[in-house]
Structure formats: structure tokens, C-alpha cells
Amino acid sequence: MTVWVGTSWKMNKSLAESRDYARGLLAGLATREAGMVQPFVIPPATAIAAVAEILAEDGRVLLGAQNAHWEDSGAWTGELSVPQVADAGARMVEIGHSERREHFGETDETARRKVAATLRHDLIPLLCIGEPTGVKDAGGSTDFILEQAARALDGLGEEQLARVMIAYEPIWAIGEHGRPATVDELEKPFAALGQEYGGRIAGLLYGGSVGLDNAAALLGIQHVDGLFVGRTAWDLKGYLRLIDIAAGR
Ligand code: 13P
């Protein structure tokens, strides 16, 4: 069984820093038994092509984009299309991260269009879902995330669904203001996601304050196929350590 360990760098790293990280990652992987671990890296759009060039030397690390538009081209100032990020070397597109929903007006409907566009071009959609604190406090987490996923994946056949990845990232657990989720808190939502999507999608990941101290426990939750990491993996040493943990070392 594949264990996914991926990182989005969000709005961080210069070109030089991105290249250094990618080179260091290949060097680090060359000295490791990564076993069933599938690493993936999602740099800022400015660095996708440069990182792709380096990662192509090896082929083990999957490369993604943090966002892509649902149209293939046109008058969409400031946007990038799926063919464009594919042209730069991305094979995965992150869709509907809570930061994009909160600050850039993304919705389940824009996520649905982006998932469809990503599949149309044979890239892997990584759909992010997650509930805000208020919903969690009201006991509505599971219903909320199942609804988010259903809306974004509406209309897909089983063959298309089989190429989709989902990252469950509770908003209250993400980022420097987030609180790490406990295993107890995650068991129910993952049971529900597993019941709905287990065996039907390419992978079900957890994200939100993943650290070196909780990664093994999070990977032990039933239906968790991997981790999607921000801060801990922005530092290459942290990322390699997470890969080791996922590989069982
Ligand atoms: P952190 O790991 O920094 O909490 O970020 C998680 C995340 O948003 C990954 O997409």
C-alpha cells in the first residue's frame, strides 16, 4: 500500500531555495529505503518548471501545482490553466485548500470545475476539504466534509474517481494558529470518509499541523493513506524525517 507524504510550500521559497530543496531531496532519497512512500512536492507556481527539471532526473517524486483554473486558456488575468501547469511539469493539482476558499472566494463549485479540468488533462486532482471551528464545535464535522467532497466530485464516474486524491485538513488544525488534531478527533471523520471513498479513490490524506511528534500516530489512523504537510516539511530535514517515519523508521 502506497503511503503518501507530500508538502505544499504555499507562498514560500525563491527559485534558488526551490532548486536547493529539490536537489537535496533527491540526494536524501538516494540514501534511503523509502519503501512504499510516495513523496510529492507542491512548490509555488514560479518554481514548478525549475523543480520539474531537477526531479525529472529521478522520477520518484511527484510534482504538483497549488492551483489551476478550470478553463484551458483565455482572458483570466493572473490565473494558470491545467495545461499550463502540466507544461511546466506538474502532474498533480491541489484544489480547494481552505486558504483559497477563505481568501480567494473558492467554493465547492469552483473546486468541482477544477477537479473536472484536472482529470480531463490526466493530472491528479488533490481535493482539500475541512471544516471550520464552529462546525466542529457544533458536532457537524463529518456531515460538512462529506458534503464538501460530494459537491466537488459530483458527476464523476468510478474510473475518474479512482484518479482523485482527497486531503482532509480541518481548518482549526492548519497553520501557525492551528491546534494539532488528536487521533481521537480524527477517527470519526476518517471512518466516514473511508466508508464513502475507501477503495474508490487514489488516496485519502490527512493535513494540518503534522509534525515529527504526531506523524506516526496520524498515519496509524484507519483509512489514512498519507500526510499532506506545510510547515514541518518546508525545511528539507523535516520532510526527509517525515518520509522516514512513513517508511517505518
Ligand atoms: P501546516 O502543516 O503548516 O499546518 O499546513 C497544512 C496545510 O495546509 C497543507 O496543505
Side-chain angles (χ1 to χ4, degrees):
M1 263 263 309
T2 304
V3 185
W4 302 82
V5 182
T7 176
S8 161
W9 299 346
K10 305 194 182 184
M11 198 172 72
N12 294 292
K13 298 195 191 296
S14 65
L15 266 181
E17 289 165 344
S18 301
R19 287 194 185 100
D20 280 355
Y21 188 111
R23 286 197 195 98
L25 177 55
L26 291 195
L29 288 173
T31 65
R32 286 174 156 74
E33 280 287 325
M36 301 303 282
V37 177
Q38 173 61 62
F40 67 89
V41 170
I42 311 190
T46 47
I48 296 172
V51 170
E53 206 168 301
I54 294 164
L55 296 184
E57 292 165 20
D58 179 298
R60 245 189 300 183
V61 182
L62 199 59
L63 181 63
Q66 294 178 19
N67 179 33
H69 198 266
W70 57 84
E71 293 287 342
D72 289 357
S73 62
W76 298 96
T77 300
E79 291 290 314
L80 297 168
S81 69
V82 177
Q84 285 177 312
V85 298
D87 188 36
R91 290 161 61 202
M92 171 188 263
V93 179
E94 182 181 350
I95 295 166
H97 189 280
S98 61
E99 288 151 15
R100 297 218 47 92
R101 294 178 192 253
E102 182 184 349
H103 303 297
F104 304 101
E106 298 205 2
T107 62
D108 292 333
E109 172 56 17
T110 59
R112 187 190 66 73
R113 293 184 197 186
K114 290 175 181 202
V115 167
T118 302
L119 289 169
R120 193 166 69 237
H121 292 286
D122 284 329
L123 273 70
I124 302 166
L126 172 58
L127 172 68
C128 301
I129 56 173
E131 81 286 6
T133 312
V135 170
K136 174 185 165 44
D137 292 347
S141 304
T142 298
D143 288 348
F144 187 92
I145 58 174
L146 285 176
E147 183 72 27
Q148 269 189 329
R151 286 195 180 140
L153 303 175
D154 187 39
L156 300 185
E158 289 299 315
E159 181 276 328
Q160 291 169 306
L161 201 55
R163 293 186 278 138
V164 169
M165 299 193 54
I166 296 179
Y168 170 43
E169 305 201 316
I171 297 173
W172 45 269
I174 294 178
E176 56 185 310
H177 303 297
R179 166 180 75 72
T182 65
V183 167
D184 274 4
E185 287 174 310
L186 296 176
E187 270 168 352
K188 239 165 99 178
F190 272 103
L193 289 166
Q195 190 173 0
E196 184 66 28
Y197 296 107
R200 299 173 71 202
I201 61 172
L204 179 56
L205 312 186
Y206 173 73
S209 293
V210 172
L212 302 182
D213 52 340
N214 63 0
L218 294 167
L219 284 168
I221 298 171
Q222 202 183 1
H223 301 297
V224 172
D225 301 320
L227 302 171
F228 188 28
V229 189
R231 290 157 297 155
T232 301
W234 293 346
D235 164 43
L236 178 61
K237 280 202 200 93
Y239 187 42
L240 288 170
R241 187 67 204 114
L242 287 172
I243 289 171
D244 285 341
I245 291 168
R249 273 184 306 278

